[in-house]
Amino acid sequence: SKGSSLRSRLTRSSSLVFSLYFVALRYYRGAGADLQRLDAVSRSPIAASLSESLDGAATISAFGKNDHFSLLFQNHIDKNSAAMLNFVAGRRWLAVRLDILGAFVTLCASLCITVFSEQLGLTPGLAGFFFVWGSSKTSNLTLLSVAT
């Protein structure tokens, strides 16, 4: 009776944790794809500007337009840097939320192990195994979700 009650509580709490992970991940997915697209789109003018400058280096120097082309290239770099920083900030946003959720899960697991170890008959080794297993699962979910 106690075992099945505890098992149902663990099942409900696990499904809640997975739901929270996937809500955060789904919220990030749309914005993350758009931010990555902006980074890629802002990178192509850099390559084009560099290619144009190298191909026309003699003409640019002959007409004294070095500063003009240098300024254009710097503007392309600035736009790409802004897009890339937004993409990195978005990934960091997701990672922080998943880390907080993982820390909360680890805290709850350690509290449950501490409080219920005698009732469940957990040995110290088994309690340590459950703690490490729970914290590694949250780390794996975080790595999996950030990598995709």
Side-chain angles (χ1 to χ4, degrees):
S1 168
K2 283 186 178 180
S4 64
S5 172
L6 182 61
R7 189 176 307 142
S8 68
R9 287 181 183 167
L10 288 174
T11 303
R12 279 184 272 160
S13 64
S14 296
S15 59
L16 175 67
V17 167
F18 285 126
S19 298
L20 289 174
Y21 266 99
F22 290 115
V23 163
L25 187 60
R26 191 173 59 200
Y27 184 79
Y28 167 77
R29 289 274 180 180
D34 288 340
L35 290 171
Q36 192 171 16
R37 192 176 306 114
L38 282 174
D39 179 40
V41 166
S42 68
R43 201 176 306 130
S44 63
I46 294 172
S49 179
L50 184 62
S51 176
E52 289 172 0
S53 297
L54 291 175
D55 289 343
T59 306
I60 292 170
S61 291
F63 285 99
K65 295 292 186 173
N66 292 340
D67 291 338
H68 172 73
F69 278 90
S70 176
L71 185 62
L72 281 176
F73 187 72
Q74 288 174 2
N75 286 338
H76 292 311
I77 293 286
D78 287 344
K79 288 178 185 175
N80 178 256
S81 295
M84 184 174 44
L85 285 174
N86 283 326
F87 176 64
V88 169
R91 289 179 62 97
R92 218 34 243 151
W93 177 90
L94 176 65
V96 165
R97 271 129 188 98
L98 294 181
D99 285 344
I100 289 170
L101 186 59
F104 181 71
V105 166
T106 303
L107 173 69
C108 290
S110 64
L111 288 175
C112 286
I113 288 169
T114 304
V115 171
F116 297 116
S117 64
E118 288 182 20
Q119 293 171 346
L120 297 173
L122 296 177
T123 63
L126 194 56
F129 171 75
F130 285 141
F131 177 74
V132 170
W133 183 76
S135 62
S136 71
K137 289 301 171 199
T138 58
S139 297
N140 289 343
L141 279 173
T142 301
L143 289 174
L144 176 70
S145 60
V146 171
T148 57

